[in-house]
Amino acid sequence: MTQAQPKFLTIYNTLYEEIQMGKFPGGESLPTEKVLCESFGVSRMTLRQAIKLLTEDGVVESIRGKGHFVVSQHRDHSTSSMAHLAHPLQQMSREAMTLEAIHYRVDLESEYTNHLFPNRPSAVVAMERYYVCEGNASKKTDAMCFTFIPINVIDLYEVSTQDETAVRAFVEEQIYQYAAQSDLKFSMTQKPHFAHDGYTFDVGDYCWLVVETLYNGHESPVMINKWYVPNGQADINVTRMKETT
């Protein structure tokens, strides 16, 4: 039995095709809901059903009070699966992000550090990292990370804490070459707000919290990262493969 396609699916298909053809380029807004309703001859409720599908598919991002914006499709998410041991922010973020500011210090052993690291290091390097998307010249950052590294790991890999460039290279790139395993725990966190030296991270009600624990063949981690990434800035893709016998 053949039935007519629901109106919201017709709108979805039309807008999707127009976006793929470049009628509405990435980063630009769609026409207003009023204009789209008049164009398709539908109610706002029907239109919003179509917009919701486009949003769920990562084609459109809806920003309250501003409108509906086309998401840039320049990234190949199939190559950024979380199955690969790599920098999570590079894998998750819809837009390329760069490390804008880094602040770190050496903290002595505490109940908290002993909770994080079973081998009870005498001290850890505690760090805050602030990231921005291309074109963001403000000090309101787009992502943030807390990092904890046992001091013995710093000594093992001969990282000079007096050299910020060396520290940046270690946490951004080298640790993913040295590590043998990375565990990721995903959750949502409410009202995150962090600030340091004028840089702030404040995304409103909720954002992704990704706790990354890196190992190198031992029970105790070599690094722990707590990534805070706004929902609208990230796609999380997990690849699962059947084990072969």
Side-chain angles (χ1 to χ4, degrees):
M1 182 177 179
T2 302
Q3 296 181 339
Q5 185 179 66
K7 289 183 178 180
F8 71 87
L9 280 181
T10 300
I11 298 169
Y12 168 89
N13 291 330
T14 301
L15 289 176
Y16 184 90
E17 183 177 357
E18 290 178 341
I19 289 170
Q20 299 305 311
M21 293 176 63
K23 182 176 180 180
F24 305 113
E28 293 191 7
S29 64
L30 294 176
T32 64
E33 290 189 358
K34 180 179 179 181
V35 169
L36 289 173
C37 286
E38 291 175 352
S39 175
F40 288 107
V42 296
S43 68
R44 186 160 292 190
M45 180 178 296
T46 299
L47 174 69
R48 287 179 175 173
Q49 285 180 290
I51 296 294
K52 183 175 185 294
L53 290 178
L54 290 169
T55 301
E56 290 174 349
D57 288 347
V59 179
V60 168
E61 178 181 7
S62 297
I63 302 177
R64 180 174 294 182
K66 293 185 178 181
H68 309 293
F69 295 82
V70 178
V71 175
S72 297
Q73 300 295 311
H74 62 277
R75 297 197 57 176
D76 180 1
H77 292 297
S78 65
T79 63
S80 62
S81 164
M82 302 302 286
H84 302 288
L85 204 168
H87 195 300
L89 192 58
Q90 295 173 4
Q91 295 176 312
M92 293 186 298
S93 59
R94 291 179 177 177
E95 299 180 57
M97 291 194 189
T98 56
L99 179 58
E100 180 69 12
I102 182 171
H103 306 282
Y104 57 93
R105 64 192 180 277
V106 176
D107 288 345
L108 296 178
E109 177 185 8
S110 67
E111 290 297 324
Y112 181 63
T113 61
N114 290 337
H115 169 74
L116 295 177
F117 301 100
N119 64 343
R120 303 171 69 93
S122 60
V124 301
V125 173
M127 183 183 306
E128 297 91 43
R129 290 186 265 170
Y130 292 88
Y131 296 82
V132 296
C133 294
E134 184 178 355
N136 181 1
S138 72
K139 287 196 170 186
K140 186 174 182 180
T141 57
D142 298 300
M144 190 267 181
C145 181
F146 280 121
T147 296
F148 303 92
I149 314 167
I151 198 67
N152 62 294
V153 173
I154 294 293
D155 295 337
L156 174 66
Y157 293 113
E158 300 180 342
V159 182
S160 172
T161 56
Q162 305 301 314
D163 184 347
E164 183 178 309
T165 300
V167 173
R168 282 173 174 254
F170 180 71
V171 298
E172 291 286 297
E173 302 171 12
Q174 294 169 359
I175 189 60
Y176 297 103
Q177 300 168 11
Y178 299 144
Q181 176 182 332
S182 170
D183 293 342
L184 299 172
K185 179 181 178 181
F186 302 94
S187 62
M188 302 295 291
T189 187
Q190 189 174 15
K191 296 186 182 300
H193 175 82
F194 307 106
H196 197 294
D197 285 353
Y199 288 96
T200 62
F201 177 75
D202 190 346
V203 295
D205 290 338
Y206 293 93
C207 82
W208 284 111
L209 169 59
V210 181
V211 179
E212 177 189 26
T213 307
L214 291 151
Y215 298 90
N216 190 16
H218 301 283
E219 179 183 355
S220 195
V222 292
M223 180 185 293
I224 294 177
N225 294 315
K226 298 176 68 175
W227 298 95
Y228 295 83
V229 189
N231 303 359
Q233 294 280 14
D235 290 322
I236 296 178
N237 302 303
V238 179
T239 298
R240 305 173 70 193
M241 301 179 66
K242 182 181 291 185
E243 292 185 359
T244 57
T245 56

